[in-house]
Amino acid sequence: MQSSDVARIAHLAKLATDASELEQYASELTAILTLVEQMNRLDTAGVEPLAHPLELTQRLRPDVVTEPDQREGFQRHAPLTEDGFYLVPRVIE
Amino acid sequence: MQWDVVIGLEIHTQLKTASKIFSGAATTFGAEPNRQACAVDLGLPGVLPVLNIEAVRHAVRFGTAIGAEIAPRSVFARKNYFYPDLPKGYQISQYELPVVGRGQVEILLDDGDTKTIGVTRAHLEEDAGKSVHEDHLGGGRLSGIDLNRAGTPLLEIVSEPDLRSPQEAVAYARKIHQLVRWIGISDGNMQEGSFRVDANISLRPAGSDTLGTRAEIKNINSFRFLHKALEFEIERQRDILEDGGTIVQETRLYDAEQDETRSMRSKEEANDYRYFPDPDLLPLSIDADFIQAATAELPELPEAMRARLIEQYGLSATDATVLTGSLAMADYFEQTVAGCHDAKLAANWITGSLAAALNKADLDIEHSPVSPAQLIGLLQRIQDNSISGKIAKQVFDGLWQGEGDADAIIAARGLTQITDTGAIDSLVEAVMAANPQQVEQYRAGKEKVFGFFVGQVMKQSQGKANPALVNQLLKDKLAGG
């Protein structure tokens, strides 16, 4: 993995990185990928892919409205609100 | 050079549930901003999603209706991207293991042929919130975020690239729209964004097997715009290719005002979503009993009903198609036939006067001011010759205006058909006496004036004389001399 890969992933994840750290992250991540590479060589035919470490399945919720309106409470913690909207830096296509 | 068009659609349909897909907040449309956004929808720390059983049932119903396999085990995944209307920084969706596998639908082409379109998959996911840009918000320098829609359950239905023209794409989108409403899993309201279409489109040299580079047109919310956007895009890509250029794989937006598609540059780099299984949600397990219970009350599907209407009532293919446009329309028809026992007459009135009036008033048949029982009342008066077809239209207007039942309107407006031979006789004689010149002409062999006499007699009777009797009596009298 190159420094440029790290920079790209950091950008996608909105993580601030120092250029001086990229080299180190790249080598650490490469070590992890090498481990994955080793595992890829194992014969996994007949092994069920794991999507969750718990061997349970999803419990389902009845379709009932249980959440009251708590807008005022939630908006007290927001930096900026107006007319019931949360305000953010302008986003427009 | 000749080009083949290749189109695949991704349709997001909002599922009809009371609460959200992963939270107990309400989904009602049109609430004040953020009144229906709870801690889960806001992505506050420490919250956990819990899956809504009704959303799963709806997905199962859809899968069954398109003959798809329902995955016994499916997995929710995080689709990662940053946008202010997505507070968690990821959308919960399904990636590798969707709930609905491969299925198919049949579309009806303009020439009357049918074509089978593959559905690759359908998966459950949550909707994002909405960004609002209004001048007054934050002094016009900021955007407002409304998270009421965040967490609303969606079924994303992905087609195979089987569509070859804008017409086919629209026919397929309409088919899916009809189906989701028919089986009651979505209201399909396009104005409210309950049914949104993304179109992938590419061109390739005629006869080629390799797919060209595609563009994706996002968030189209009307069938008309879908057609226009695709037509524009075909033209744009053809011009580029014929000038020796290459198509850039990108997301584009259709601008209805300019009737063109435009690149959404800001979304380009976001196309790496880094999906991974959501650790907050366990795999979803669906067994045969669950499928059985969810689909037990599915209505007869549109194709089957269309075939049955043709077979059982001897309807034309066109009438059967219109009458199975929605389940409510089909129900209306069958209720009417049950009362008047004349399928063709019922079909003519429902696809004719009623459909035209509904269309003009922009109403669904569910909200028709004329009930099937009222229409039956009208059709029975046509059947027993109390009124002519022409007068029936006046009675229908009365029904539409809420003037009561057909009999009451006929009585109040004095519209009963005149079938009394004596009464018509005297009208015929009066008309002949008033127009001796035309009588002469007719008797001299100018048979075209016969129509004139019919018109005069009908006018004298204010349209109420039985037309067959008028014809008969006129012929006799004019010939008799």
Side-chain angles (χ1 to χ4, degrees), chain B residues 125-141:
Chain B
E125 62 182 28
E126 58 179 345
D127 208 344
K130 266 183 190 163
S131 314
V132 178
H133 319 285
E134 278 171 23
D135 288 347
H136 70 275
L137 282 176
R141 287 167 293 105

Side-chain angles (χ1 to χ4, degrees), chain B residues 12 46 98 121 184 230 253 258 268 300 319-320 335 343 440 474:
Chain B
H12 295 83
R121 57 182 282 166
L230 288 170
L253 206 61
Q258 307 289 325
E268 270 169 44
E300 181 183 17
D319 280 352
Q335 284 180 47
E440 281 311 308
L474 261 175

Side-chain angles (χ1 to χ4, degrees), chain B residues 177-190:
Chain B
H177 186 250
Q178 173 205 36
L179 189 61
V180 296
R181 296 177 68 216
W182 190 282
I183 62 176
I185 67 168
S186 174
D187 65 21
N189 188 320
M190 298 180 90

Side-chain angles (χ1 to χ4, degrees), chain B residues 123-243:
Chain B
H123 62 255
L124 286 164
E125 62 182 28
E126 58 179 345
D127 208 344
K130 266 183 190 163
S131 314
V132 178
H133 319 285
E134 278 171 23
D135 288 347
H136 70 275
L137 282 176
R141 287 167 293 105
L142 300 170
S143 291
I145 301 294
D146 175 8
L147 295 169
N148 282 346
R149 201 181 64 184
T152 299
L154 299 178
L155 188 67
E156 178 174 334
I157 303 159
V158 182
S159 86
E160 289 287 294
D162 285 347
L163 304 158
R164 291 289 171 273
S165 67
Q167 289 79 6
E168 287 186 18
V170 170
Y172 167 80
R174 283 188 183 278
K175 180 85 239 174
I176 297 291
H177 186 250
Q178 173 205 36
L179 189 61
V180 296
R181 296 177 68 216
W182 190 282
I183 62 176
I185 67 168
S186 174
D187 65 21
N189 188 320
M190 298 180 90
Q191 283 84 39
E192 293 176 5
S194 300
F195 193 88
R196 314 193 291 268
V197 181
D198 296 347
N200 287 296
I201 172 165
S202 63
L203 265 54
R204 63 183 175 196
S208 161
D209 285 339
T210 17
L211 288 171
T213 306
R214 65 189 161 84
E216 182 180 23
I217 315 167
K218 280 254 187 229
N219 259 330
I220 309 166
N221 65 355
S222 96
F223 297 121
R224 197 164 61 89
F225 291 167
L226 174 61
H227 193 274
K228 295 179 92 167
L230 288 170
E231 291 222 302
F232 176 87
E233 193 58 22
I234 290 169
E235 193 104 339
R236 186 186 72 90
Q237 293 192 13
R238 188 196 293 135
D239 286 351
I240 292 174
L241 293 169
E242 292 188 345
D243 286 349

Side-chain angles (χ1 to χ4, degrees), chain A residues 61 63 66 69 71 84 86 91, chain B residues 19-20 33-34 51 133 145:
Chain A
R61 175 177 64 79
D63 181 26
T66 52
D69 168 27
R71 186 176 84 179
Y86 294 92
V91 279
Chain B
S19 65
K20 294 194 175 167
N34 294 304
L51 184 55
H133 319 285
I145 301 294

